[in-house]
Structures are given as structure tokens and as C-alpha cells.
Amino acid sequence: LFRSASIDAAAQIIAAHGAHCAGVFVALDRQERGAGTTGAAQALAGRIGAPVQAIATLETLVAFIAADAALAQHASAVRDYSARYGAR
């Protein structure tokens, strides 16, 4: 999960001190739409000039939920979220 505004601000602070951001790790990439047709993580990577890597993605989360009998009831809600907000 990430807030791109926070990461943008951190990258600006790093740059103001003469360094550059080598990359960003996020816990969960929700694979949401960014500006235009790119995903939010791809748009962020373009803005800060560094790769954005996710430990998990919404796609892997859906697969995990669907495979777990105790969680499977929530899989359709997560898929609906992805269909509504996901990158195309």
C-alpha cells in the first residue's frame, strides 16, 4: 500500500540534499490507475526516476484470498475493486 504524494515528497527531500532515490519498495501495489493509461506505480516511477517494486500486488492478493477457504468469500469484493479502480 502506498501514497504516491508521500513518496514524491520524500524523493524531493532526497534530491534537495544532492542525492537521488535509487528505488522504492511498497508493501502492496493495488494496481490502480494512474494518470492516463498507466498504473499508479508506473506513473510514480516515471515522476521520481526510479523503479517501484511491490512485495505483493492486488493480483497476488486475490489469488491468495481465493485459495484460502476462510477468505474465499471476500475474493469477489476484491475483484470488483480491481475492476473499478484497476489499471487497464
Side-chain angles (χ1 to χ4, degrees), residues 30-74:
R30 295 174 296 194
Q31 299 176 298
E32 293 177 331
R33 285 186 294 278
T37 59
T38 65
Q42 292 83 5
L44 173 63
R47 286 196 311 275
I48 65 171
V52 176
Q53 295 294 319
I55 295 168
T57 65
L58 190 61
E59 183 179 338
T60 58
L61 180 63
V62 168
F64 176 81
I65 290 171
D68 186 309
L71 299 174
Q73 65 184 348
H74 303 290

Side-chain angles (χ1 to χ4, degrees), residues 3-4 6-9 18 25 27 39 43-44 49-50 55 69-71 74 81 85:
R3 303 255 324 142
S4 64
S6 299
I7 298 169
D8 285 328
F25 273 95
L44 173 63
I55 295 168
L71 299 174
H74 303 290
Y81 174 90
Y85 300 106

